Amino acid sequence: MDMIGAELTRISHGVVEIELSFDQKLTQQHGILHAGVIAAGLETACTYAAYTMIDTDASLLTIEFKVNLMAPGRGGRFLFRGEVTKPGSNIIVTDGRGYAIGDGPAKLIASMSGTCMVLRDREGFAG
């Protein structure tokens, strides 16, 4: 997230928000926020939300996600909100929403559903 200039702006039990300012370097050929950047913001927000639900000695891996792009990524800022839909001891299901923020109300530009696997006592994966 540091590479794209995103910042963590909210952490609560089961919910995380990440914000990103518009940057021309993160756009695609039409000047809108690239789908890969949107997916990265949503996946990270959802995984971090899942981290708020597990023990500190456990870790997570995203094992599946699907992103729906609903509107062009146009705005001065972007908000990616991840929420835990179904906590579990081995599998956690999440949902995310991406919003463009500019003049007027925030506009929903993408949604995501994802699944994380909880890892415990696995070499190379620390909490």
Side-chain angles (χ1 to χ4, degrees):
M1 292 291 93
D2 191 41
M3 183 177 80
I4 64 172
E7 64 180 298
L8 196 57
T9 56
R10 177 182 174 196
I11 303 171
S12 60
H13 192 69
V15 179
V16 164
E17 292 182 355
I18 294 172
E19 293 189 44
L20 172 70
S21 292
F22 177 83
D23 186 330
Q24 187 68 33
K25 295 181 290 193
L26 303 176
T27 64
Q28 45 84 292
Q29 70 273 18
H30 300 293
I32 59 177
L33 193 63
H34 194 282
V37 174
I38 294 169
L42 287 169
E43 190 277 336
T44 302
C46 285
T47 302
Y48 284 8
Y51 265 109
T52 70
M53 307 287 286
I54 64 172
D55 296 331
T56 57
D57 62 340
S59 191
L60 292 169
L61 280 179
T62 298
I63 57 174
E64 175 274 337
F65 71 88
K66 180 187 184 315
V67 174
N68 290 301
L69 302 167
M70 298 182 229
R74 290 193 181 102
R77 288 188 66 75
F78 300 91
L79 170 69
F80 304 106
R81 178 181 298 122
E83 298 184 48
V84 172
T85 307
K86 168 72 173 66
S89 59
N90 295 313
I91 298 292
I92 298 174
V93 178
T94 60
D95 285 298
R97 300 286 179 266
Y99 299 90
I101 301 167
D103 296 335
K107 181 175 184 176
L108 180 65
I109 61 169
S111 68
M112 184 189 118
S113 61
T115 308
C116 295
M117 176 175 62
V118 181
L119 302 173
R120 290 180 189 81
D121 302 320
R122 296 275 292 266
E123 186 176 331
F125 295 94

